[in-house]
């Protein structure tokens, strides 16, 4: 990234439990804007990162969410309290946020946590978020999440891709876990990204990257594998959620992980949809855990399941 980009924004690369955050600095005298706010249990850390990166005399005026998964908006409430920041969300989730409907917001299904927040404004596809000399156009990017936005600064070729495109793939296609076809939307969103003159992608997770063609190719071949075997995508989705759960709790005894499996509605839902593999959710969970361990995604030691 060039020095100009560093003047315009700061990227906090967070790992996986919290999404990345992009702090848009704005012009002198302008409040800063933060894109996405991480997971709830990291909210204090997010607050400190923002505080240490604001310019002297500047405050955080606004938080903009690409979408409302718990790892992208879990810091909203904390930051709104801390800085008086306004909250701007995509329009598709407005009703669910207004009613704080944890079912529609996915937090109940996944047993992930998000502190309730209220929004102040919407950012609709086609609208532009202007911060300093940067103009970020919002584009609808359904697939991973039906209401997700991506933000593109055409003058500089910079794309905030959320979970629609990562350097190696894209986020779990959540509607598919609900039995709603969304692989076509993933494909259309990848086509949209290809049609934009992108030079730098700031993904929702992982480091920024500039090999756009390579990432699109990897994403499309991943999508082709999922399309050919949707059950493999569903298993992948549950494994990814298991990994998130372990990132949140750190480590836990296998019995606790089995209890999480048994009590998490999306696990049961997918197990039903796959026609009850292994005959019970518990046995299926054991198999998925064994596969995660075999692939080195988790380790079992001292009687606990850990992130490696
Ligand atoms: Zn997401």
């Amino acid at each position: 990234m060039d020095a100009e980009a560093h003047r315009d924004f700061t990227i906090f690369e967070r790992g996986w439990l919290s999404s990345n955050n992009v702090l848009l600095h704005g012009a002198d005298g302008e409040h800063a804007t933060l894109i996405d706010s991480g997971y709830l249990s990291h909210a204090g850390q997010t607050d400190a990162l923002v505080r240490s990166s604001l310019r002297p005399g500047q405050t955080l005026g606004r938080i903009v969410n690409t979408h409302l998964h718990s790892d992208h908006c879990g810091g909203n409430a904390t930051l709104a309290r801390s800085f008086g920041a306004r909250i701007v969300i995509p329009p598709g989730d407005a009703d669910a946020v207004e009613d704080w409907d944890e079912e529609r917001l996915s937090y109940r299904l996944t047993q992930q946590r998000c502190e309730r927040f209220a929004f102040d404004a919407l950012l609709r596809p086609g609208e532009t978020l202007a911060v300093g000399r940067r103009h970020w156009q919002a584009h609808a990017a359904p697939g991973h999440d039906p209401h997700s936005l991506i933000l593109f600064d055409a003058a500089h070729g910079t794309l905030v891709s959320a979970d629609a495109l990562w350097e190696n793939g894209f986020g779990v296609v959540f509607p598919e876990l609900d039995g709603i076809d969304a692989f076509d939307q993933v494909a259309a969103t990848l086509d949209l990204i290809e049609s934009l003159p992108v030079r730098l992608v700031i993904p929702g997770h992982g480091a920024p990257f500039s090999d756009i063609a390579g990432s699109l190719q990897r994403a499309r071949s991943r999508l082709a594998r999922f399309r050919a075997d949707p059950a493999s995508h569903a298993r992948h989705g549950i494994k990814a959620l298991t990994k998130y759960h372990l990132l949140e709790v750190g480590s836990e005894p296998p019995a606790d992980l089995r209890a999480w499996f048994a009590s998490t509605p999306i696990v049961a839902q997918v197990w039903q949809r796959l026609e009850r593999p292994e005959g019970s959710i518990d046995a299926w969970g054991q198999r998925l855990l064994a596969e995660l361990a075999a692939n080195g995604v988790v380790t079992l030691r001292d009687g606990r399941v850990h992130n490696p």
Side-chain angles (χ1 to χ4, degrees):
M1 239 181 330
D2 55 22
E4 263 189 24
H6 284 290
R7 276 205 302 276
D8 292 342
F9 55 78
T10 304
I11 302 166
F12 306 132
E13 192 189 329
R14 303 296 294 279
W16 292 91
L17 180 59
S18 276
S19 70
N20 293 339
N21 327 114
V22 189
L23 185 64
L24 307 174
H25 293 295
D28 285 345
E30 187 180 350
H31 292 332
T33 293
L34 185 72
I35 302 175
D36 288 336
S37 65
Y39 191 67
L40 175 63
S41 57
H42 289 166
Q45 192 183 65
T46 307
D47 187 283
L49 283 167
V50 170
R51 205 167 283 283
S52 68
S53 300
L54 288 170
R55 297 208 178 105
Q58 191 181 41
T59 191
L60 181 69
R62 179 168 57 177
I63 300 157
V64 176
N65 296 118
T66 56
H67 63 299
L68 298 184
H69 285 157
S70 62
D71 54 331
H72 290 254
C73 63
N76 280 14
T78 297
L79 296 176
R81 266 196 303 274
S82 185
F83 296 99
R86 287 158 51 81
I87 295 174
V88 181
I89 63 169
D93 287 314
D95 291 347
V97 171
E98 213 146 66
D99 303 339
W100 203 250
D101 182 340
E102 297 218 348
E103 183 84 39
R104 283 174 60 202
L105 289 169
S106 80
Y107 313 138
R108 201 189 71 78
L109 270 177
T110 58
Q111 290 209 84
Q112 294 173 352
R113 296 180 299 130
C114 185
E115 184 181 348
R116 182 171 187 164
F117 61 85
F119 67 91
D120 300 285
L122 300 174
L123 179 63
R124 296 178 185 82
E127 291 179 345
T128 297
L129 181 72
V131 185
R133 63 201 186 100
R134 296 253 178 177
H135 296 263
W136 303 85
Q137 188 175 17
H139 295 264
H144 163 72
D145 176 84
H147 308 303
S148 185
L149 300 175
I150 54 177
L151 301 170
F152 185 55
D153 166 19
H156 300 84
T158 308
L159 177 71
V160 173
S161 67
D163 297 338
L165 179 67
W166 297 336
E167 189 165 15
N168 290 298
F170 44 80
V172 170
V173 186
F174 278 93
E176 289 277 338
L177 302 186
D178 277 333
I180 299 165
D181 293 342
F183 289 144
D184 286 350
Q185 293 186 327
V186 173
T189 292
L190 295 175
D191 290 349
L192 164 69
I193 292 172
E194 187 170 43
S195 75
L196 301 171
V198 182
R199 298 204 299 272
L200 176 76
V201 173
I202 304 170
H205 302 268
F209 59 91
S210 51
D211 177 13
I212 319 303
S215 67
L216 285 168
Q217 191 191 355
R218 288 187 291 277
R220 285 183 174 130
S221 62
R222 191 180 183 83
L223 178 62
R225 286 198 301 277
F226 287 153
R227 271 191 203 275
D229 182 7
S232 75
H233 170 264
R235 284 192 300 273
H236 161 72
I238 297 304
K239 286 179 181 172
L241 288 166
T242 306
K243 180 74 181 171
Y244 265 96
H245 168 69
L246 279 171
L247 285 169
E248 185 178 1
V249 299
S251 71
E252 68 185 358
D256 291 3
L257 188 57
R258 289 166 82 157
W260 175 82
F261 241 83
S263 64
T264 301
I266 200 167
V267 174
Q269 189 177 302
V270 169
W271 178 73
Q272 291 281 2
R273 200 174 300 288
L274 293 178
E275 298 178 354
R276 307 172 185 204
E278 313 292 317
S280 74
I281 290 176
D282 191 53
W284 186 54
Q286 301 281 74
R287 193 184 102 196
L288 295 187
L289 186 59
E291 289 174 8
L292 285 168
N295 291 327
V297 181
V298 304
T299 53
L300 190 61
R301 60 178 190 276
D302 313 323
R304 300 176 76 87
V305 185
H306 297 256
N307 290 304

